[in-house]
Amino acid sequence: MEIQSAIEQALNTVRRNVDLYAGTEKFPHVSRGDGKYHLTDSTDWTEGFWAGMLWLGYEYGGDSKLHEAAVRATDLLERRLDANQALDHHDIGFLYSLSAQARWTVDGSEEARRVALRAADALMRRWRPSLGIFQAWGPEGDPENGGRMIIDCLMNLPLLCWATRQTGDERYAECARIHAEKSLRFLVRGDDSSYHTFYFDQQTGDALRGGTHQGYRDGSTWTRGQAWGVYGFALAYRNFGDPRFLEASERMARHFAERLPEDGVAYWDFDAPQQPGTPRDSSASAIFACGVFELLSLLPDSYPARDSLEQSARSAVRSLLADDYFTAGADNEEGLLRHGSYSVRGGSSPDDFMIWGDYFFLEALMRLHQGTPGYWYER
Ligand code: GLY
């Protein structure tokens, strides 16, 4: 399918969803076996993805309906920040890079810029200086999660780097850099696979052990975590220029690309037994594609692995465009990408629509069509 036609069809679904959710203050999250999005009251980590899709759609075609919905979703996230509601986690970058920072990017709104900066301040409250990490989940000192970092957090760091560039205050980016370095040291393994999470002793700061939250087992490679690493380290390379981050993103991308099944869409965990019916995670493939496109945007034409990286990202998008995954033309389905998984082991939406899968699929299409990179940094 041609990319532009895929974008048009994806945006038809987005517009239909705008009508469906109009009159509510709710956001699509994941489906639960019925092809319909389960809606949240902006209490989860995912609401920014819906806002981000609306901004991408508006930027693409100038559709005022999408603009109105994007502003509304962004306002709701601003209200959440004002109320300091459901922000006791690290996913503040996902929420506000794709809403307030996106609005600043697209509309040049000074108010949105201030909201994004306040969001960066909220994320800084998760910084644990004695451990050198942003704590992912739970309150400070929490016995289970107090000393825990997770690979997904790499995607929350760009908001901090943006905040440093906007304010001149180096502290945001400095903490982000330390966290990225720690992620490289403790989450990426020697064979280029990754831990989903890592624990540190909260008293001494000693490194304790790798573990998982959504993967098959503690030492396995959760596919989406690997994809967060590909994209997150590419963004870290953009922000810090440290070639170790470039190398990490590339190594992790190669590991990912070499472990795909025949149809090119990742299973949910690279170490889960693969048999008929093993769930996929199409969202991981979409994140992977965007991460590699980001990496390519930073590499010179003469870079040796450039062609193979580009092939792997294009092939991921091609695989997702196949009938089995992309819902193009299926008017009764609310999502764009079938066969994502939230938490297979936890039994939560193991084969469903994921709003972040839809966001990254649309971002990948926009990157291919017009070279726009989403809202992770200034353009
Ligand atoms: N960041 C949470 C997830 O990927 O499920």
Side-chain angles (χ1 to χ4, degrees):
M1 181 185 293
E2 206 224 321
I3 297 301
Q4 189 162 2
S5 151
I7 291 175
E8 300 289 347
Q9 301 204 47
L11 292 181
N12 285 342
T13 302
V14 173
R15 278 189 208 97
R16 231 179 21 246
N17 288 346
V18 169
D19 291 338
L20 265 180
Y21 314 145
T24 76
E25 295 192 343
K26 293 185 184 288
F27 290 78
H29 175 52
V30 293
S31 65
R32 295 177 172 169
D34 56 0
K36 310 257 172 267
Y37 265 119
H38 167 75
L39 304 180
T40 67
D41 291 312
S42 193
T43 47
D44 222 298
W45 65 281
T46 52
E47 287 79 8
F49 297 113
W50 174 237
M53 290 176 76
L54 296 166
W55 285 115
L56 284 177
Y58 168 63
E59 263 204 295
Y60 167 80
D63 180 342
S64 58
K65 175 182 179 137
L66 294 180
H67 186 260
E68 198 184 312
V71 169
R72 188 171 153 70
T74 303
D75 283 346
L76 287 171
L77 279 153
E78 176 179 353
R79 203 205 290 169
R80 173 171 171 181
L81 191 65
D82 293 341
N84 192 22
Q85 180 204 359
L87 294 174
D88 49 353
H89 54 75
H90 68 132
D91 287 313
I92 292 166
F94 281 128
L95 291 171
Y96 291 94
S97 291
L98 301 179
S99 59
Q101 196 189 320
R103 185 177 186 180
W104 170 78
T105 305
V106 177
D107 279 355
S109 157
E110 192 49 39
E111 167 62 15
R113 176 181 171 275
R114 280 195 295 272
V115 173
L117 288 173
R118 280 173 47 222
D121 288 334
L123 179 51
M124 287 298 282
R125 292 197 277 279
R126 310 288 306 171
W127 176 245
R128 305 291 175 253
S130 63
L131 306 177
I133 63 167
F134 285 94
Q135 182 184 328
W137 302 310
E140 190 161 10
D142 183 74
E144 164 68 7
N145 290 315
R148 194 173 187 186
M149 78 187 316
I150 79 170
I151 198 159
D152 322 27
C153 190
L154 287 165
M155 297 298 291
N156 293 313
L157 305 179
L159 178 68
L160 301 173
C161 300
W162 173 83
T164 284
R165 289 190 293 273
Q166 290 296 314
T167 61
D169 181 345
E170 291 293 338
R171 214 171 83 82
Y172 302 100
E174 182 54 12
C175 296
R177 187 188 59 74
I178 294 168
H179 183 100
E181 283 190 0
K182 238 167 167 167
S183 302
L184 177 56
R185 173 140 183 239
F186 293 103
L187 292 168
V188 185
R189 295 184 289 235
D191 66 352
D192 310 337
S193 67
S194 54
Y195 286 119
H196 180 196
T197 84
F198 201 94
Y199 294 89
F200 298 90
D201 185 295
Q202 294 186 63
Q203 264 65 52
T204 63
D206 287 350
L208 295 178
R209 65 180 176 88
T212 196
H213 181 59
Q214 281 142 287
Y216 178 61
R217 57 176 156 72
D218 278 342
S220 73
T221 299
W222 178 51
T223 313
R224 191 157 70 249
Q226 185 82 6
W228 291 137
V230 171
Y231 201 166
F233 282 119
L235 289 165
Y237 177 57
R238 169 179 289 280
N239 281 314
F240 304 113
D242 182 335
R244 290 174 305 162
F245 295 140
L246 160 64
E247 196 194 333
S249 176
E250 186 186 335
R251 284 166 50 204
M252 292 184 79
R254 207 177 317 112
H255 188 92
F256 190 106
E258 285 168 359
R259 279 157 187 79
L260 295 175
E262 211 165 287
D263 76 356
V265 177
Y267 286 114
W268 69 284
D269 188 298
F270 287 125
D271 298 297
Q274 293 177 8
Q275 51 212 25
T278 298
R280 310 278 171 157
D281 184 7
S282 56
S283 76
S285 281
I287 297 161
F288 164 80
C290 290
V292 176
F293 287 136
E294 174 61 23
L295 194 58
L296 289 166
S297 74
L298 299 164
L299 299 177
D301 287 348
S302 58
Y303 193 78
R306 205 187 153 88
D307 285 354
S308 66
L309 282 167
E310 181 159 358
Q311 249 179 39
S312 69
R314 284 181 179 271
S315 148
V317 175
R318 238 189 344 268
S319 302
L320 293 173
L321 285 169
D323 290 348
D324 197 24
Y325 292 96
F326 183 26
T327 56
D331 292 353
N332 56 338
E333 293 185 274
E334 285 181 32
L336 301 184
L337 274 190
R338 300 187 193 101
H339 307 305
S341 56
Y342 192 8
S343 178
V344 173
R345 204 163 45 92
S348 168
S349 298
D351 184 10
D352 282 280
F353 297 131
M354 314 279 116
I355 194 63
W356 59 90
D358 288 2
Y359 169 81
F360 285 104
F361 180 57
L362 192 56
E363 184 187 303
L365 296 177
M366 294 298 180
R367 280 180 178 269
L368 273 172
H369 179 64
Q370 57 198 37
T372 48
Y375 306 106
W376 308 100
Y377 46 86
E378 303 84 341
R379 299 189 187 153

